[in-house]
Amino acid sequence: MPYLLDTNHCSYIINGNTKVINTSKNYSDDVMGISIITYTELLYMTEKSTKKVENLLAVEAFLDDVDIYFIDKETSLIYSRVKALVFNTFAPKEKSKRRRTSIMDLGFSDHDLWIVATAIQHNLTLVSADGDFQRINRVQPFLLSSWI
């Protein structure tokens, strides 16, 4: 089964979390990938760190063993459908409040929605410890796991 690692699980692996590393070894014959969004988040984390060069090298070494999934037209269609489902489920029902509510106000990030859309598009199991994915999964089922 192919897996899509969320940023937190990538960080666990890069930072040497033995539990996540050992679990990932159980799936070494399976395809491991990340969304281009996760790649961007990892790069941002290196940019804001005090050890930019060291952390960038660690991210690049990690990337040697994973595929990167890009966003395309199909991803965008899935993203917009999932975002609408999440908004319609969690946003206030009153029109005046609804108009002023953003997806961020509901506790979701667009990044997470893009990652979910990528997982759905490619039929990947999303591996994350982020509770927001469980909330999204309630309205748009997708394969979800955590190695923590």
Side-chain angles (χ1 to χ4, degrees), residues 3-136:
Y3 294 91
L4 186 70
L5 303 176
D6 185 30
T7 309
N8 54 44
H9 273 64
C10 295
S11 294
Y12 294 143
I13 292 169
I14 292 167
N15 293 322
N17 181 300
T18 54
K19 182 175 182 178
V20 175
I21 290 170
N22 290 337
T23 303
S24 71
K25 288 178 183 176
N26 294 333
Y27 303 103
S28 61
D29 291 339
D30 296 310
V31 173
M32 295 287 173
I34 63 171
S35 164
I36 191 67
I37 300 297
T38 298
Y39 177 58
T40 302
E41 290 177 339
L42 291 171
L43 290 177
Y44 173 67
M45 290 165 57
T46 65
E47 280 297 317
K48 68 179 189 171
S49 74
T50 57
K51 300 177 183 179
K52 288 182 188 177
V53 174
E54 180 183 325
N55 290 335
L56 184 58
L57 290 172
V59 167
E60 288 174 352
F62 168 75
L63 292 175
D64 287 341
D65 297 326
V66 298
D67 296 334
I68 297 179
Y69 292 88
F70 294 91
I71 292 171
D72 60 19
K73 184 177 178 180
E74 184 180 351
T75 323
S76 298
L77 291 169
I78 296 167
Y79 164 87
S80 61
R81 186 184 75 237
V82 172
K83 187 172 183 176
L85 282 168
V86 167
F87 188 84
N88 289 333
T89 301
F90 296 106
K93 302 305 176 209
E94 185 183 317
K95 283 186 181 182
S96 64
K97 290 181 182 177
R98 196 173 178 86
R99 277 188 233 126
R100 294 186 305 251
T101 302
S102 73
I103 204 75
M104 293 288 289
D105 294 331
L106 303 175
F108 300 98
S109 77
D110 282 312
H111 285 189
D112 288 348
L113 296 171
W114 282 113
I115 292 168
V116 167
T118 302
I120 292 170
Q121 176 184 3
H122 298 283
N123 198 30
L124 305 168
T125 297
L126 178 57
V127 182
S128 179
D130 185 340
D132 290 340
F133 290 119
Q134 292 172 353
R135 292 176 60 214
I136 296 168

